[in-house]
C-alpha cells in the first residue's frame, strides 16, 4: 500500500509541507512526498490529446506526477489559498490528472485527503470560509474522479505581510485586513502548524484512518 502526498506550497519546509509529512508518517505505510515547486507542471490545455492513451501530450513533469498518482492507493493533496481560492500549482496538478479519467477511470476507488492552509483563520468569527473554499476545490476533483474522500486538515497560515518588512506601514497590509485595524506584525506573530494542536491531531488522525481503510481488506 502506498500513500502519495502532494504539496502546492512553494515555501521551503512550510506549514503545509510539515502537515503532509505528519499525516504520511501517521499512516505507517509506504509513502512519498512531492513538492510541486520542485517540478514544472503546465496547466491542462484542454486539447483532448490524452483520450486514447491516458497520457498527457504536454511533455513536462506533469506526466510523471500523473503516473505517481495512478500507482498510489491513497493521495493527499495539499494547497493554500491566495486570493481566497486554491493556489495555481495545486490547481495545475489537479488539471494534469485529467488524462487518467478517460475510458478507464484510473483514479476511481483510491482514497483521498486534503490539507489546506489559509492566512484567514478558519474559526474567526465573521471571516469568510476561505479554507473551506480551498478544500472544496480539491474535493470536487476527487468526487468527479471517484476518489473516496476521507477527510481534511485545516491550518491557519501566515499572511505574507508579516515577513515582507512593511507589514505595519503598508496601506494594503493583509494584517489589518484580516485581524483588524489595531493588529501589528508583533501582535499577529508567526503561525506554526505544530502550535495548532487541533490541526496536528487532525493530521495524525487522518493518517491513521487512511491506513485503517487501506489495510482492513488485507487483514480480513
Amino acid at each position: 500500500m502506498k500513500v502519495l502526498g502532494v504539496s502546492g506550497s512553494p515555501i521551503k519546509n512550510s506549514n503545509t509541507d510539515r502537515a503532509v509529512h505528519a499525516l504520511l508518517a501517521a499512516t505507517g505505510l509506504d509513502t512519498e512526498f512531492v513538492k510541486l515547486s520542485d517540478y514544472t507542471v503546465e496547466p491542462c490545455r484542454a486539447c483532448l490529446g490524452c483520450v486514447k492513451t491516458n497520457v498527457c501530450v504536454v511533455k513536462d513533469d506533469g506526466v510523471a506526477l500523473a503516473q505517481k498518482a495512478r500507482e498510489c492507493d491513497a493521495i493527499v493533496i495539499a494547497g493554500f489559498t491566495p486570493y481566497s481560492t486554491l493556489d495555481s500549482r495545486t490547481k495545475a496538478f489537479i488539471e494534469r490528472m485529467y488524462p487518467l479519467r478517460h475510458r478507464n477511470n484510473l483514479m476511481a476507488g483510491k482514497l483521498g485527503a486534503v490539507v489546506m492552509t489559509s492566512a484567514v483563520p478558519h474559526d474567526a468569527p465573521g471571516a469568510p470560509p476561505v479554507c473551506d473554499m480551498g478544500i472544496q476545490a480539491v474535493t470536487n476533483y476527487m468526487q468527479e474522479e471517484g476518489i473516496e474522500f476521507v477527510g481534511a486538515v485545516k491550518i491557519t497560515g501566515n499572511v505574507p505581510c508579516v515577513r515582507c518588512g512593511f507589514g505595519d506601514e503598508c496601506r494594503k497590509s493583509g494584517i489589518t485586513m484580516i485581524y483588524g485595524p489595531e493588529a501589528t506584525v508583533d501582535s499577529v506573530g508567526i503561525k506554526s502548524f505544530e502550535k495548532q494542536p487541533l490541526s496536528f491531531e487532525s493530521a495524525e488522525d487522518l493518517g491513521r484512518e487512511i491506513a485503517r481503510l487501506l489495510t482492513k481488506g488485507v487483514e480480513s
Side-chain angles (χ1 to χ4, degrees):
M1 296 294 178
K2 184 167 186 176
V3 185
L4 177 66
V6 179
S7 173
S9 170
I11 297 173
K12 184 178 180 179
N13 194 33
S14 65
N15 282 319
T16 308
D17 292 357
R18 301 198 307 277
V20 175
H21 281 300
L23 190 159
L24 294 178
T27 67
L29 301 173
D30 182 20
T31 64
E32 182 176 359
F33 175 77
V34 167
K35 191 167 181 66
L36 291 177
S37 59
D38 292 336
Y39 298 83
T40 299
V41 181
E42 183 180 318
C44 175
R45 296 178 182 177
C47 68
L48 295 178
C50 55
V51 172
K52 294 181 179 180
T53 64
N54 294 118
V55 178
C56 186
V57 299
V58 180
K59 302 307 179 185
D60 64 8
D61 296 324
V63 175
L65 293 179
Q67 185 63 26
K68 289 180 185 293
R70 177 175 178 171
E71 293 172 353
C72 75
D73 299 286
I75 186 167
V76 180
I77 299 178
F80 64 108
T81 56
Y83 289 107
S84 301
T85 190
L86 185 64
D87 67 276
S88 59
R89 281 188 179 86
T90 307
K91 181 63 165 58
F93 169 77
I94 289 173
E95 289 183 10
R96 292 295 295 281
M97 299 301 103
Y98 183 61
L100 302 179
R101 69 176 292 138
H102 304 299
R103 299 176 303 124
N104 298 304
N105 202 12
L106 296 170
M107 293 299 288
K110 299 181 188 294
L111 302 182
V114 181
V115 172
M116 195 60 56
T117 302
S118 174
V120 180
H122 57 269
D123 55 355
V130 175
C131 200
D132 288 332
M133 290 188 286
I135 292 170
Q136 190 64 55
V138 182
T139 55
N140 286 346
Y141 154 73
M142 293 180 176
Q143 181 179 22
E144 289 184 27
E145 300 306 324
I147 299 170
E148 180 183 345
F149 174 66
V150 182
V153 178
K154 298 179 181 180
I155 304 167
T156 300
N158 296 293
V159 60
C161 310
V162 299
R163 300 179 187 269
C164 77
F166 299 94
D168 287 335
E169 56 188 84
C170 178
R171 289 184 298 173
K172 293 297 292 182
S173 174
I175 294 172
T176 53
M177 181 181 70
I178 295 172
Y179 291 95
E182 304 303 319
T184 65
V185 170
D186 288 340
S187 69
V188 171
I190 302 296
K191 311 299 182 184
S192 172
F193 163 65
E194 290 79 6
K195 294 182 179 180
Q196 300 175 49
L198 291 179
S199 297
F200 193 87
E201 292 170 11
S202 178
E204 292 194 321
D205 287 346
L206 188 50
R208 286 189 285 265
E209 178 63 7
I210 289 172
R212 185 189 71 81
L213 291 171
L214 285 179
T215 59
K216 68 178 182 179
V218 176
E219 294 173 349
S220 61

